Amino acid sequence: MNRNVATIPQDLIAALKKAKHVVVFTGAGVSAESGIPTFRDSLTGLWERFNAEDLATPGAFRKDKELVWGWYEWRRMKVLQAQPNPAHIAIAALATLVPKLTIVTQNVDDLHERAGSTDVLHLHGSLHSPRCATCGQAHILPPGIPVEPEGGRRLSPPVCICGGLVRPGVVWFGEDLPVRELRQAFEAAQKCDVLFAIGTSGLVQPAARIPSLAKQAGACVVQVNPTSTGLDRECTWSVRGAAGEIMPNLLQAAFGRTA
Ligand code: BV8
Ligand code: ZN
């Protein structure tokens, strides 16, 4: 039974206070209040006539590597210019308030880490770890924040010492997820007492299975999202609101502190 709630229910607070193992599963919405467009927000500038799912594919990179590499560098600039928001900070603090916390993210930004979270399981890779498409060698990006025009531009991807093209270090549609991270995420979901699904539309597989795995294993599943999603039916509670407000309020209610 999914309860849509605008305020934080007492039984949720009680469940969190006695939880031994909490999983926080995040999507693009957790970075929205840091100014990072969500994955399904419509694209702008050079990419406005595309949707993200079409650009985030090996085929798009083969077809127009400058368009795709320019998009990822523009996104990387946005992330480097952004700051973690109160949701990231509260999630980092949660690690000091519960016996065990596992953070699983679909996001390719490093805002959880910059808020102080460690051992974050990135299911879809990272903007900050490009690699050679041929030999797999990690590519070291120049230090600092790339300067890209607001509307974006086409950029030639770097070339590896082996002659191969450097590609973004993300998992594209049609590509397998990293085996270790996915296994650890599924295991944590099946062992935890409480799982938070924060800022995700629950559309992308196999990551979207994580909340139902937790529910089937008997965990309380809490969704934090301003809108209804396909995950609603998996959730014990769907707390309607922005993560940057809900998460600090939840920590304050349960533990008397927000960060
Ligand atoms: C794969 C990296 C095997 C790139 C991304 C069934 C099983 C297996 C696969 C499939 C399947 N069915 C279909 C597939 C194929 C595909 C898939 O799932 N397609 C979907 C579209 C149906 N899956 C794959 O291809 C995966 N690979 O399964 O390999 C395989 C191999 C070959 C053939 C078949 C299978 C790979 C998927 C990974 C793709 N890469 N990212 C990049 O970033 O450029 S996914 C991308 O979507 C991002 O990582 C993003 O995080 C993720 C999920 O989106 P969300 O995070 O949920 O973001 P979204 O914008 O959708 O929603 C944001 C939410 O936040 C909204 O609900 C909004 O209301 C909320 N929000 C807004 N503001 C706030 C907020 N919430 C809280 N607070 C706020 N302030
Ligand atoms: Zn190479």
Side-chain angles (χ1 to χ4, degrees):
M1 174 271 286
N2 169 47
R3 283 162 50 192
N4 281 357
V5 290
T7 55
I8 299 167
Q10 284 306 316
D11 41 1
L12 163 54
I13 292 167
L16 180 57
K17 283 169 80 170
K18 68 174 194 295
K20 298 274 178 296
H21 182 185
V22 174
V23 169
V24 171
F25 171 58
T26 61
V30 80
S31 299
E33 290 154 272
S34 296
I36 305 295
T38 69
F39 198 71
R40 277 162 195 83
D41 279 339
S42 45
L43 300 185
T44 58
L46 187 63
W47 306 285
E48 67 179 342
R49 60 194 168 88
F50 297 96
N51 73 50
E53 273 156 33
D54 298 330
L55 282 182
T57 64
F61 189 61
R62 277 194 301 274
K63 188 170 165 217
D64 192 343
K65 56 185 182 299
E66 285 83 7
L67 181 79
V68 173
W69 183 257
W71 183 46
Y72 281 92
E73 279 299 276
W74 182 83
R75 289 171 64 190
R76 187 168 71 89
M77 171 190 75
K78 283 287 178 191
V79 167
L80 290 171
Q81 289 171 339
Q83 293 304 322
N85 67 59
H88 296 109
I89 294 164
I91 292 164
L94 195 52
T96 65
L97 297 166
V98 296
K100 182 174 169 61
L101 176 70
T102 305
I103 301 174
V104 180
T105 190
Q106 300 170 93
N107 297 344
V108 293
D109 64 51
D110 60 347
L111 293 174
H112 280 304
E113 289 85 351
R114 285 164 55 197
S117 293
T118 55
D119 306 323
V120 177
L121 296 173
H122 280 265
L123 298 183
H124 296 158
S126 168
L127 288 169
H128 305 289
S129 54
R131 65 178 188 274
C132 174
T134 305
C135 71
Q137 169 90 10
H139 176 74
I140 309 301
L141 288 159
I145 299 177
V147 178
E148 295 307 322
E150 187 45 42
R153 62 179 170 146
R154 300 165 64 81
L155 273 178
S156 294
V159 177
C160 173
I161 44 169
C162 80
L165 279 179
V166 173
R167 55 157 288 172
V170 300
V171 178
W172 277 328
F173 288 95
E175 293 185 325
D176 287 324
L177 276 62
V179 174
R180 179 185 69 83
E181 286 80 353
L182 188 60
R183 189 187 68 250
Q184 286 183 340
F186 281 5
E187 282 170 2
Q190 291 167 314
K191 289 185 182 151
C192 70
D193 309 297
V194 177
L195 179 133
F196 288 91
I198 303 174
T200 182
S201 57
L203 292 173
V204 174
Q205 296 294 353
R209 287 182 51 204
I210 288 172
S212 62
L213 287 174
K215 182 175 180 199
Q216 286 156 23
C220 296
V221 179
V222 193
Q223 180 170 222
V224 177
N225 196 318
T227 65
S228 171
T229 74
L231 294 177
D232 286 5
R233 61 183 175 280
E234 305 296 346
C235 297
T236 318
W237 301 283
S238 283
V239 186
R240 289 281 174 255
E245 285 164 39
I246 302 288
M247 292 312 289
N249 290 349
L250 178 59
L251 262 62
Q252 184 63 44
F255 304 105
R257 48 178 282 212
T258 58

